[in-house]
Amino acid sequence: MTIELLAPAADVAPNQFGFWEAMQQGGPVAWFILTIMIIMSVGSFYILITKLFEQNKIMKQYRTEVSAKFWQAGSLKDGATKLEKNSAWRQVIDDALKAEDEHAKMTDKLEAHDWMHGSLQRSQDSINAKLAGGLPFLATVGATAPFVGLLGTVIGIYRALINIGIAGSASIDKVAGPVGEALIMTAIGLFVAVPAVFAYNWLQGRNRRIAEHLSAFSTDILANLSSNGAVKPAVKAAAAKPAGASTAPKA
């Protein structure tokens, strides 16, 4: 049964060489491995594009809404209205305001502060977990695709040896198809794995930068709530000054 699966297809002329001819000679096993590779590649690029779009959207919201508008509002509730609904930044604000409403039920001041801090941390964790969705698939593809290609390589070499044994000679027309299939599988495995590894590392780095912004934003929110609105980020508070205010140094 194994020999029959690995044996070349009978309807392919032995003097035909090329990708499709090699795959046809490879039979069902070669096509099965190629299908797995295609699924891995398509899934990797889909995750790359969708996660990149999601990251760009969050970073754009940070630049255009959080940095430019949010801290200019008179209160956190007013600032929340300047943020896009269902955004990561709006989620942090909503969770913070909800924690503030609930902390009044706690009699211990320290417990109230810990409750608000924990609520903001849970909000960050949920956002980071969503951003990390799909990345394990990229890591899996990057780690396993070369070995799937290697499986095709081993099978191709094995088929070449079978042809040599059947023909009794190592003529080029007997081994070119299986060896070509083996090299093709190796190349496809690398073609699938390398972009997945690059995409995984790149997206991970961008997620870390977003996590840093989320952490700083949450810290500023907690400080603002704990001080009843007296504490704001220095740079963003300065941006809220009237346009006509003098910036000339004192004599």
Side-chain angles (χ1 to χ4, degrees):
M1 178 66 180
T2 303
I3 300 254
E4 292 177 356
L5 286 175
L6 297 179
D11 58 345
V12 179
N15 61 347
Q16 296 296 317
F17 305 109
F19 174 78
W20 295 113
E21 288 75 13
M23 294 303 302
Q24 289 174 11
Q25 291 185 45
V29 175
W31 286 109
F32 177 72
I33 294 176
L34 180 63
T35 301
I36 293 177
M37 294 286 195
I38 292 175
I39 293 173
M40 286 183 170
S41 182
V42 171
S44 297
F45 280 100
Y46 173 79
I47 291 174
L48 171 61
I49 293 172
T50 55
K51 302 309 291 188
L52 187 60
F53 176 80
E54 184 179 15
Q55 290 174 343
N56 287 338
K57 182 179 180 180
I58 292 177
M59 293 303 297
K60 181 180 179 181
Q61 290 169 345
Y62 179 76
R63 293 191 301 268
T64 60
E65 298 177 3
V66 177
S67 298
K69 301 177 182 178
F70 177 76
W71 290 110
Q72 297 183 16
S75 65
L76 294 183
K77 291 184 179 180
D78 292 338
T81 61
K82 299 180 181 295
L83 302 178
E84 182 179 341
K85 292 183 178 180
N86 300 322
S87 69
W89 313 103
R90 180 65 179 267
Q91 177 180 330
V92 173
I93 293 297
D94 290 342
D95 290 341
L97 294 175
K98 180 181 178 182
E100 183 187 28
D101 293 337
E102 294 176 345
H103 92 283
K105 302 176 183 179
M106 300 181 182
T107 58
D108 192 318
K109 295 286 187 182
L110 182 59
E111 289 181 359
H113 179 274
D114 290 342
W115 165 255
M116 294 180 64
H117 183 273
S119 297
L120 288 171
Q121 186 61 52
R122 286 193 298 271
S123 183
Q124 293 179 62
D125 291 342
S126 66
I127 295 171
N128 291 331
K130 181 180 179 181
L131 288 172
L135 297 189
F137 179 84
L138 293 178
T140 302
V141 170
T144 60
F147 295 101
V148 176
L150 182 61
L151 174 62
T153 301
V154 171
I155 292 176
I157 297 299
Y158 182 51
R159 286 185 50 250
L161 295 177
I162 291 176
N163 287 347
I164 293 174
I166 293 175
S169 64
S171 58
I172 188 66
D173 61 325
K174 300 298 181 183
V175 301
V179 172
E181 174 201 340
L183 297 176
I184 288 171
M185 289 301 178
T186 301
I188 293 176
L190 294 175
F191 176 78
V192 173
V194 171
V197 172
F198 274 105
Y200 175 81
N201 291 329
W202 187 38
L203 294 176
Q204 279 282 61
R206 289 168 62 89
N207 278 347
R208 283 193 293 268
R209 288 195 293 272
I210 294 175
E212 291 173 359
H213 289 310
L214 282 171
S215 179
F217 184 61
S218 297
T219 302
D220 293 336
I221 293 297
L222 182 60
N224 187 272
L225 289 173
S226 301
S227 63
N228 293 324
V231 177
K232 289 185 178 182
V235 175
K236 299 177 179 63
K241 292 182 178 180
S246 174
T247 59
K250 295 182 180 181

